[in-house]
């Protein structure tokens, strides 16, 4: 009888100690999500400043090619460096198992998606303005940097999209609807950048 009581007590204690483990995957997913969101938000601000500078340079009529090219290259490479910083923080979103989160736990997902979408849209718009306004000789000189900038978007967008879809799973609600809408928008932008026919990258190759 005593053994039975001790065994039951031990079982109850073991169950109580083990119970929090069921929440660990959710906690880890939220931690990774928070880190990725913070990184994207910080990088987004820097990238927006460089994109604005590129747009000014693209329409500048008082800067000759020899002076313009180094400035364009510098801003483009800064963007590449900044966007690359995001890769390390978003990679765990897909390399670690992602549990389905309830709607309240999903509140940072739209922020993350919006940040990446803003960067992708900004890159698309700015590169198009460069192609439309910069002289052919300058374009030829910065072709490698343009290709590099465009190719950095998918490596950050893809894991974010996969994570978002895994996290929402079969959950329903306004935040989930927003996530699906943002995922669709981000997929469209990335497709527009990298499409083999008609994509921005194909115009530069």
């Amino acid at each position: 009888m005593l053994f039975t009581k001790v065994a039951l007590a031990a079982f109850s204690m073991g169950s109580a100690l083990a119970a929090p483990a069921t929440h660990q995957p959710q906690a880890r997913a939220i931690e990774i999500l928070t880190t990725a969101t913070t990184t994207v938000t910080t990088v987004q601000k820097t990238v927006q400043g460089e994109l604005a500078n590129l747009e000014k340079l693209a329409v500048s009529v008082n800067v000759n090619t020899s002076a313009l090219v180094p400035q364009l290259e510098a801003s483009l490479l800064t963007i590449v460096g900044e966007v690359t910083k995001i890769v390390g923080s978003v990679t765990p979103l897909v390399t670690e198992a992602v549990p389905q989160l309830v709607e309240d736990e999903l509140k940072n997902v739209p922020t993350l998606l919006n940040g990446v979408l803003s960067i992708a849209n900004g890159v698309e718009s700015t590169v198009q303005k460069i192609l439309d306004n910069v002289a052919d000789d300058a374009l030829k000189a910065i072709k490698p940097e343009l290709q590099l900038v465009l190719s950095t978007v998918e490596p950050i967008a893809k894991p974010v999209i996969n994570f978002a879809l895994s996290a929402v799973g079969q959950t329903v609600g306004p935040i989930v609807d927003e996530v699906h809408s943002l995922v669709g928008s981000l997929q469209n932008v990335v497709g527009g950048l990298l499409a083999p026919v008609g994509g921005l990258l194909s115009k530069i190759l």
Side-chain angles (χ1 to χ4, degrees):
M1 186 70 174
L2 180 59
F3 174 79
T4 303
K5 289 181 179 179
V6 172
L8 286 172
F11 176 78
S12 298
M13 183 179 294
S15 298
L17 292 173
T22 61
H23 301 290
Q24 288 176 0
Q26 281 84 354
R28 176 58 180 157
I30 294 170
E31 178 189 347
I32 295 171
L33 173 59
T34 300
T35 300
T37 302
T38 300
T39 303
V40 168
T41 301
T42 301
V43 168
Q44 182 185 352
K45 293 177 182 177
T46 304
V47 169
Q48 285 175 337
E50 292 298 334
L51 291 173
N53 183 53
L54 282 170
E55 291 190 10
K56 289 179 182 178
L57 289 171
V59 297
S60 175
V61 295
N62 297 318
V63 182
N64 59 42
T65 299
S66 61
L68 180 63
V69 168
Q71 294 180 67
L72 291 172
E73 287 176 334
S75 281
L76 288 167
L77 290 176
T78 297
I79 292 171
V80 171
E82 287 296 312
V83 173
T84 302
K85 291 179 183 177
I86 298 175
V87 176
S89 66
V90 299
T91 298
L93 296 175
V94 290
T95 56
E96 299 191 24
V98 179
Q100 180 176 317
L101 304 178
V102 299
E103 187 171 22
D104 186 57
E105 294 171 329
L106 293 169
K107 57 188 177 183
N108 279 338
V109 177
T111 304
L112 177 63
L113 285 165
N114 267 313
V116 176
L117 180 60
S118 174
I119 292 171
N121 276 326
V123 167
E124 180 183 44
S125 173
T126 301
V127 170
Q128 187 61 63
K129 287 182 180 178
I130 290 173
L131 293 177
D132 291 341
N133 293 283
V134 173
D136 289 344
D137 54 344
L139 279 179
K140 184 177 180 180
I142 63 170
K143 180 179 175 180
E145 289 77 18
L146 287 173
Q147 292 173 337
L148 198 55
V149 165
L150 291 175
S151 66
T152 59
V153 176
E154 187 179 37
I156 64 169
K158 200 168 182 178
V160 168
I161 288 172
N162 290 340
F163 170 81
L165 294 177
S166 296
V168 298
Q170 300 303 312
T171 306
V172 295
I175 293 180
V176 175
D177 293 340
E178 184 180 4
V179 167
H180 282 295
S181 176
L182 288 168
V183 164
S185 297
L186 186 52
Q187 287 173 327
N188 287 337
V189 175
V190 173
L193 292 176
L194 304 179
V197 178
L200 270 182
L201 186 58
S202 69
K203 296 178 182 179
I204 300 170
L205 295 176

